[in-house]
Amino acid sequence: MTPRAKLGRAGEDAAVEYLRSVGFEILRRNLRGPGGEIDVVAREGNIVVFIEVKARTTRTFGSALGAVNARKRRRIRAVAEDFLQFFAPGAKARFDVLAIDGAAIRLHRGAWA
């Protein structure tokens, strides 16, 4: 596993631990679909939440939140639409970003529509 892959895995593990600690129910990890992947699918109350996890050790290449660009959002939305169609038709959905910048973890609820 590359150092970058190890950082990503560690970030996702920390994200899942954090999300559980604030009351999320984890439904899936690394949900793959045509054209993309969603790091975490969770439920918060009656809302299905699709969460992109971004971990950064430094800000050399920008913030973790800033790394979720329009192309990435489109890919996540497409996979989320497929998931909802098959597993949760009619459910309310939200897109969050869990940013890990160094030791700081911040959940950005409703990061995009």
Side-chain angles (χ1 to χ4, degrees):
M1 188 178 272
T2 67
R4 183 175 168 166
K6 287 180 184 177
L7 174 64
R9 174 55 78 179
E12 288 178 15
D13 290 344
V16 166
E17 185 178 315
Y18 172 81
L19 291 165
R20 284 187 175 131
S21 77
V22 296
F24 282 76
E25 175 189 356
I26 306 303
L27 302 176
R28 301 268 168 91
R29 286 184 69 173
N30 305 111
L31 174 68
R32 296 178 198 275
E37 177 184 323
I38 298 174
D39 295 325
V40 180
V41 180
R43 183 184 341 250
E44 185 179 38
N46 66 341
I47 300 172
V48 177
V49 186
F50 299 96
I51 304 161
E52 175 67 10
V53 177
K54 284 295 180 189
R56 295 281 191 258
T57 54
T58 70
R59 289 186 163 259
T60 302
F61 298 104
S63 71
L65 181 60
V68 185
N69 61 27
R71 181 177 178 202
K72 183 71 171 174
R73 292 190 303 266
R74 281 192 303 274
R75 288 180 172 190
I76 291 170
R77 177 175 294 287
V79 175
E81 287 172 353
D82 286 346
F83 177 87
L84 290 170
Q85 180 180 2
F86 291 105
F87 298 106
K92 292 182 181 180
R94 187 178 76 217
F95 297 93
D96 292 358
V97 174
L98 195 144
I100 303 172
D101 283 306
I105 295 177
R106 181 166 177 172
L107 178 62
H108 300 274
R109 287 180 162 89
W112 74 90

